[in-house]
Amino acid sequence: MPGAGSLKAVNYLFNVAPRDGTVIGAFAPGTVLEPLLGRSEGAQFDAPSFTWLGSISREVSVCAFIKSAGIRTWDDMRSKRYVIGASGGGAESDVFANVLRKLFRLPLRIVTGYPGGTEIILAMERHEVDGRCGWSWTSLLSRSKALLDGKQIDIPLQIGLEKDKALADVPLIMDLTAEPLEKAALKLIVSRQSIARPFAATMADQAFREEAKNLSLDVDPLSGADVEALLKEIYASPAAVVKLASELVRETP
């Protein structure tokens, strides 16, 4: 059910779909946080009131740069000028780039309007932009691993609540500030990574696990109770935290 970046599907689940267990939804994780962050236009749901079945994975996203950009470390991201490609309209490629630029005062410029991640990657290869942020690590491994194996890209930052074990030496966004309000706002924004694949599946099935492994897809389930608890915690965030988070994700020139 395409439309408005999953919003149409989420509204349908909450207001129209039968409530007898026969309808299951999968949608962009950031959608359920939009009303809290002041982007409630068109939203007709209460996220904590869904029956949450769980998430297939708890993943991180990364900032990745084409090798020629010379952005190899967090210090490079802080000191050099560069251009980030994004889809706009609340996509993670836009949200995380805005958050980084505002919170850490990074000298980056965001170019929006790319239809999706594939087009942003092509723009990197054509040197139209230097990199992208909010790139799912598992998607990178399953679809663009050749760029990594060929050392065509550098990964100076990972975005998630916890580090991915494969990126142990890459800085985590949550560790970049010790200021309590900033850290709480980051947790609110980045928590979407912990419900990265809000979907129901036979996640304990051995055949499913083996197929996911062969496709380089991460399976690290989060229970429905855990998803529900996380969302209730997020929606109970203090007003000051919500205010800062809303300002950080807002698209500005």
Side-chain angles (χ1 to χ4, degrees):
M1 184 179 291
S6 294
L7 184 59
K8 184 177 179 180
V10 178
N11 285 341
Y12 175 83
L13 277 174
F14 195 80
N15 298 290
V16 180
R19 301 192 176 199
D20 57 5
T22 61
V23 180
I24 295 170
F27 39 80
T31 305
V32 296
L33 300 181
E34 294 296 273
L36 180 64
L37 296 175
R39 302 202 283 197
S40 58
E41 184 178 356
Q44 302 166 7
F45 62 87
D46 177 47
S49 298
F50 276 114
T51 299
W52 291 96
L53 300 176
S55 176
I56 291 179
S57 66
R58 288 170 280 195
E59 66 176 26
V60 302
S61 288
V62 298
C63 288
F65 294 84
I66 202 73
K67 181 69 70 175
S68 60
I71 309 294
R72 296 177 173 81
T73 67
W74 171 241
D75 284 341
D76 289 336
M77 289 186 67
R78 296 176 64 189
S79 61
K80 298 181 179 181
R81 294 189 177 277
Y82 48 94
V83 179
I84 293 289
S87 299
E92 293 191 357
S93 59
D94 179 73
V95 168
F96 289 134
N98 268 296
V99 169
L100 287 164
R101 180 169 60 87
K102 293 179 180 179
L103 186 59
F104 300 106
R105 297 175 178 82
L106 300 187
L108 65 85
R109 182 165 64 91
I110 304 170
V111 175
T112 62
Y114 291 98
T118 299
E119 289 78 12
I120 299 175
I121 295 170
L122 287 174
M124 290 167 61
E125 294 175 329
R126 293 169 180 163
H127 305 289
E128 296 172 7
V129 300
D130 298 309
R132 61 180 290 199
C133 288
W135 189 352
S136 161
W137 174 240
T138 54
S139 292
L140 192 161
L141 291 179
S142 63
R143 299 178 183 178
S144 304
K145 195 168 184 292
L147 293 175
L148 198 64
D149 292 342
K151 302 187 185 302
Q152 298 177 59
I153 55 174
D154 292 304
I155 300 175
L157 182 68
Q158 57 180 308
I159 302 168
L161 293 182
E162 298 178 355
K163 281 189 174 185
D164 188 284
K165 56 184 177 292
L167 298 169
D169 296 328
V170 177
L172 179 72
I173 192 172
M174 295 301 300
D175 297 334
L176 299 180
T177 179
E179 203 283 317
L181 180 59
E182 292 179 351
K183 209 168 185 68
L186 271 180
K187 181 178 180 181
L188 192 160
I189 296 165
V190 175
S191 62
R192 67 186 70 198
Q193 299 295 96
S194 292
I195 51 172
R197 312 287 181 190
F199 192 72
T202 53
M203 287 175 277
D205 181 78
Q206 188 60 32
F208 172 79
R209 290 275 193 165
E210 290 174 0
E211 184 173 358
K213 183 178 180 180
N214 290 336
L215 295 172
S216 297
L217 298 174
D218 186 42
V219 178
D220 182 18
L222 188 70
S223 73
D226 288 341
V227 172
E228 183 177 349
L230 177 61
L231 282 169
K232 285 182 176 178
E233 177 188 349
I234 292 167
Y235 268 82
S237 298
V241 173
V242 174
K243 181 176 182 294
L244 178 57
S246 300
E247 291 170 352
L248 291 173
V249 303
R250 190 175 302 129
E251 294 179 44
T252 55

